[in-house]
Each structure stands twice: as C-alpha cells, then as structure tokens.
Amino acid sequence: MLTSVDVRQKFIDYFVDKGHSAQKSASLVPEDKTVLLTIAGMLPFKPYFLGKKVPPFNRATSVQKCIRTNDLENVGRTPRHQTFFEMLGNFSFGDYFKKDAIIYAWDLLTNHYKLPKDKLYVSVYKEDDEAIALWSEFTDVDKTQIVRLDKDNNFWESGPTGPCGPCSEIYYDYGVEYGCGNPDCAPGCDCNRFVEIWNLVFMEFNKNEKGELSPLPKKNIDTGMGLERICSVLQNVKSNFETDLFTPITKELLKLAKAESKVSLYVVADHARAVTFMIADGIYPSNEGRGYILKKIIRRAIRHGKILGINEAFLCKICLLVIDNYKIFYNELWENRALIEEIVNTEETNFSKTLDFGLSLLEEIITDKKQISGEDAFKLFDTFGFPLELTMEIAEEKKVSVDTQRFEGLMEEQRTRARGNAVFYKDGESKPKGGEAIVAKNEQERIEMARHHSVTHLLQAALRQVLGTHVTQAGSLVSTDRLRFDFTHPKALTTQQLQEVEHIVNEKIMANLEVAICEKTYDEAIQEGAMALFTEKYENLVRVVKMGSFSTELCGGTHVNRTGDIGLFKIVSEAAISNGIRRIEAVAGSYALALINHKLEIIDSITLDYQISSENVLDKFTQLRKENSDLKKEKTSLLSSILLVQLKTDFDAHKIMINNIPIIIKSMENVIFPDNPKDVLDKLPESTVEFVALIINNTTENKISIIIKASNKLITHYKISAGELLKETAKILEGNGGGRPDYAQGGGKNASQIPQALDFLKKTLEERLK
C-alpha cells in the first residue's frame, strides 16, 4: 500500500521526469489580491496563465497547500470535505496542451499508481469533441466509460473573471453498492459511487467582467488532484479521514475523547491541520479577513472537542502532532513550531472560558423556543464574544432557527455608534475620527505628518528584524502629532524588545538614509522585496518608497526626503487589541522631543523635592518603595492582631451551638479588615469555632463584604460548602461571590437584607447539621 508520502513523491518524480520544474508550495497567503487564501494549485501561476508574467519555465509541477471554507458545515459529515487539503498538479504555460495532459494523467494513474482501468471513468465538456477523440486515440480507456457533461460540471473557471476553459475529469468507481440505485448513475451523480480524483483543465480563455470569453495569449494546462482523495483510493478506504493523512490524528483524539461523535472527531482532525498550516504561513487570529477565518476554525475545533468530552486543553497537542507528521515535506511547520504552540494555547485558553459560559447561556435561551432572537444572538456575541456562526451551528443541531436579520441590524447600529465616536489619545484629548483624512495646515504640519508617516515604515522594518518576518501591518493611523501601528504578533513585547526596536529606528534616523520614491509595476516591486498590504488592492503601476536598503514598501503617502528629517522617535505604549494583533503608539520629530522634555521636567521636579541628584532618583524610589512595603506589612500585622482579639472576644460572647458544633453567624459595622482576612480566620482553632459567617457593612465605602469559613469536619461529614453558601447569601444581598468549600468571599449591595441573609445562614445550618 502506498503511503501519502509515497503518493506525493511519486507524483513529483513522474512529472520531473517529463521535463517539469518542481515548485515548492506557495504560501496560503496569496499574492493574488482577489482571494483571501490560496484555494487552488494554479493560483501561484495565475500571472503566467494570463500572460502578465513571463514564466521562468514552460512546464511545472507542485504539491500546493490549499484552504477552502465555502462549505465548512459539511466537514466531517461527508467522506471528502476538508478545509485544508493538498493539491497535486502539473502545469503547462503555452507548451503542451490537451493530448499530452491526457496521456500523462492516464499513464501515471494506471502504470505508476497501478489503478485498475475498469474502475476509471472520464468526463469531458459536452462540446469538446477534440478531448473525446484524444482519450479514445491515445489511451486504452473503455469508450463506454467516457461521458459528456454540461458546463456546470466540465467548464472550469477560476472565479467571476480570469482564466478558464473546458476540462476533463477522471473518476474512480467505488462500486454499485455505493451508488444511488438509479440505473442511469454515472460520473456527475451526487452519490458516493463515482468520486472525482483528477481534473484536467484546458485553459484557453479569459473571462471579463461582462462574462465574455477571449482567447488567452497561449493555451495552457492546469491540473489538480487532491492528495486526500487519491490516497483514499490507493489505500482502499472509503473516506479521506481513514487515510494515513488523518489516522495518526484521529487515534490521538480517541485517546483523549470521553464521548463518541465521528463528525466531531473528523472536524477536529481537519481543523487542526488547517490551523497549523495557516499560522505557519503568518496568519493570526483576528476579527477580519483571513485572520477571522482562522479564529472561526480554531473555535469550531474547540467546540467539537467539547462534544467529544475533552474538557482539558487539547488543540495545541493535536497541532504539534500535525507538525511531526508533515515537517519532512513542509519544513516551515517545524520552523514555526513555538509560534504555532503559543498562538493555539492562547486562543484555546481564552475561548474555552467563553465557550463554557456561552454554551450554558445558549442552552437556557433555546429551552422551549423555536427561534433564537436577534437580541439574544447579539448579546452572546457582543457581551460574551460568542460568534454568530457558532450560535447558528448549535441552533441547527437543536432544530432551532436564529433571527440573523435582526442580529445584522443590531450589528449595523453598533457600527454606526462606533463611527460616531471620536478617537481619544492620551489624557483624553479628542482626535480626528478613524479613517478620516487629516488635512495638513501652514508647512510645519505637513512636515510633522511626513515624519510620522516615514517613521512608520522604519518601525515595521525594525519590528520584523527584532520579532521575525511573521510581523505584518494590520492597520495604522498617522497624524501630525502621533502614529499608531497595528501588527501581527502573538504576545506582548518585552521591555528589552521595545528598547531594541526603538534603538534600531533611531539608528536609521541618525544614518540619514535617502528616501527614494519611484513607480514600478506591482510584480516588479514585489519581486524586489517590497512590503505590500494583503488587504489592499493595487493597480498595475505602484509607488515604491525605499529607505536605504532597510525598508521598501508600496505607499502613496507623504514622506521626508531623508530619514534624518524625522529627527527623533519615541514609543509611547504597546498593547494587545485582539488575539494575535498588537498596537504600538509612538511620536516622532518635535512631538517626541516634547515628550522627552516633559519626562525630564518630572524628574527635575522630583530631584528638587527630595534634594537628590537625577542619577539617584531610581535608588531613592527603590528605597521609598521598600519603606512603603514594610509599613504595609506592619499595618496588616497590626490590623490582623486587633481583629483576632476582637473576633475571639465576640466569638466567646456570640457563638451558638448547633448539634454541639460551635458556630458564629454575625454582622459587623465598619470593621477594617486586612488584605487577606482568611489569614486571620485560619488562626482561630477549629475547636473554638467550626463555622464562621461574617457580613460586614462598611457604610463609609457603601460596600458589604461577606466572608464564610467552614471546618474540614463540616465539609467531610455534613457536605457543607462555604462557596455554595456564599453564593446564596450574596444573592439575598443583591451581590455575588464564591470560593472553595473551606473558604469563600463575596460582596453585596442591599444592606436592608442583612437580617434575612443572617437568618438564611442560621436556618440552613440548622437543617444540615440536625
């Protein structure tokens, strides 16, 4: 039996032997801006097919990583739907055409992969008499196993516009027992009998926006054979998920699973592959674009893990297994192992909390309902971060609908409110609304704008140098007095990393690099290493901004003539704005100088007040911090001692006996507690009091505190839990809280209910202990 590794290698070797240039898989982030993700093996070669680029070879072969999510809900429910898959392909750019493509495909399948000829069927476009003749003349396929199909089946298009042409598909016949029972069942039927394994596209036309076809400069060949599908045939299994591409993953999942669900098993296995490969190619969870697709896939995987009864963190473990299985062929997985592990761990930790709460809330909403309202769906999303598509998926399983129209209306209302809010900077000063053009005033404002814009380019290059080439721009704002730069990175920058970035930027400023601006074709600029925004659509002619050899970007903004004109750069803050997206705010030029001068003024004021030199400021504050810490400890110790004496006195006077068990249930007014009252209560021997419930009404702070402590004896023998009792007590006082069986803390709002809360505790204990 051929393994998936064998199948890949045999394909590449075959076409290399036929004069094809073996090409490494392109990234899942395509250069083609018309699509978010690489969805087909031909996508990296699209400029050659269109004649926009001259190919460095006439024929090529590849195993291309692909992601498709247009029918996500079918993953795991059918034998052959995946989000991530590998596409085996051979390509001709004006070299060979239909005849050789047909001969190669038949030869490889029958003579090298050794598939039985009587199991192979061929479909062609109904008007393509040439293809029919070529199959009949140059292969020994049974003539009765060639069928003509219409345009929907056998005319391939890359999208609404672009390269296209008739195609010929090769099917594998799994047998009558897998059919629909229809005597006319044949290739093209929706049943599971005839499975398409290879598509040969005879690419000879270009389709424009009007749907009109015109001949391409050259006739081309584009073929695609899904590795998962051909492996299921060669390994004699009935589902892609039963091939060796999946079985190591599903076996590991079955070790962790405590419940059975074949669909969920396959969903997690598929999604773990997609997640691993997407992160390795520089895609990180975010709220838009391909980052949102990744986030959605991660969340679906976690949710289906819950269905399998896996309650601990598991997805990272599965992703690491994917890396081990694929690292020989895709070394980028191993190179990005730590990054993949970190992002998946972070996303799983964050979403697991949301998922648990969201699922329980959704169960309450669904009870006895035929539809989830738009308001409920929006609340789940907006307040608890529970995605709409997950709400819809669960609702479908429960046979309940979702009012998505009302949900979208509420989303639009929120967007309108957001657009209406001004963006506020440090110290609350109002700034122009995000995305609005900032009009430069007199010449100085134009200079400041140029400084902040140019230094953003240096900042991105410095971040990539310090953190890695996975860093890409995820958004920015440039004004006369500041800049904001959003970028992809999974965790907070260390102080050392921030200092290094700042140092590199200022170093390049002082180097006074020339800022050269020129126009080039988009393809030329990208080939020369220019950075481009994947979310941006560029014309064929682009503006390239180059700062020495340090930074090259596509940009249409205002810039300085030399980097020395920026003057100075200072980072103000760095923080997360979403999972995998960080934000740096900074200032340049005269605003950076003003910021530093302001900080120096503060230091000068401190040195004057404390009569010390500026060099000793840090030592002085270290000393003061230690003194303050020591005083806090003394205060805590003193408060604890006073409180302990007071409690012991009160306990002797107020403790009650229930079933010979000493208990205190007491309200107190305006008592000053130490930071951790548990330390005080722990010093009371259990023989003195086995249960303590204190309700402290601090009228000066308008706050009610609740503290409950239970002895081991009460927990073990009487099943009394301080945490459970505190939750119920806090509800009476219109508050909340919780804790462990032995100790719990919480708070309340309604002081008028304190007598009822005390009464509840006493009656509950009397019932439990008697």
Side-chain angles (χ1 to χ4, degrees), residues 31 33 53 520-534 538 542 544 552-554:
E31 289 187 15
K33 300 300 179 295
K53 272 187 181 180
K520 295 188 177 184
T521 67
Y522 175 80
D523 293 336
E524 286 174 340
I526 296 301
Q527 283 176 351
E528 291 175 11
M531 291 288 293
L533 286 174
F534 288 118
Y538 295 96
V542 294
V544 182
T552 306
E553 288 190 37
L554 306 187

Side-chain angles (χ1 to χ4, degrees), residues 176-222:
V176 178
E177 63 272 28
Y178 289 92
C180 56
N182 190 325
D184 296 326
C185 184
C189 182
D190 291 333
C191 70
N192 288 320
R193 177 178 175 180
F194 296 99
V195 176
E196 176 213 328
I197 55 174
W198 204 347
N199 189 9
L200 316 179
V201 179
F202 311 131
M203 197 179 289
E204 52 185 319
F205 301 110
N206 184 45
K207 185 179 179 183
N208 65 19
E209 289 82 359
K210 296 179 181 178
E212 300 166 338
L213 300 181
S214 58
L216 288 168
K218 294 179 180 179
K219 292 183 177 182
N220 309 301
I221 288 295
D222 159 31

Side-chain angles (χ1 to χ4, degrees), residues 212-329:
E212 300 166 338
L213 300 181
S214 58
L216 288 168
K218 294 179 180 179
K219 292 183 177 182
N220 309 301
I221 288 295
D222 159 31
T223 84
M225 176 161 62
L227 177 64
E228 291 77 7
R229 290 197 179 189
I230 188 62
C231 281
S232 68
V233 170
L234 292 171
Q235 294 175 12
N236 195 31
V237 294
K238 302 304 183 289
S239 164
N240 294 356
F241 293 101
E242 295 172 22
T243 67
D244 67 345
L245 292 161
F246 285 96
T247 50
I249 303 171
T250 54
K251 283 179 182 176
E252 187 60 35
L253 281 168
L254 286 170
K255 292 179 187 176
L256 301 171
K258 298 177 182 65
E260 290 185 17
S261 170
K262 187 170 281 189
V263 170
S264 292
L265 184 72
Y266 291 164
V267 168
V268 175
D270 167 79
H271 287 13
R273 296 200 315 165
V275 166
T276 306
F277 277 88
M278 289 175 80
I279 296 173
D281 277 356
I283 301 169
Y284 307 113
S286 68
N287 291 326
E288 58 184 22
R290 60 182 68 89
Y292 185 70
I293 292 172
L294 172 61
K295 179 184 277 191
K296 182 161 63 174
I297 292 172
I298 290 174
R299 290 179 169 188
R300 285 190 95 244
I302 295 168
R303 192 240 162 179
H304 280 276
K306 293 281 186 187
I307 294 173
L308 289 170
I310 307 174
N311 294 316
E312 69 271 22
F314 72 95
L315 188 56
C316 184
K317 183 177 183 179
I318 303 303
C319 289
L320 293 176
L321 180 60
V322 172
I323 293 173
D324 286 338
N325 289 347
Y326 284 87
K327 64 186 177 186
I328 296 174
F329 201 77

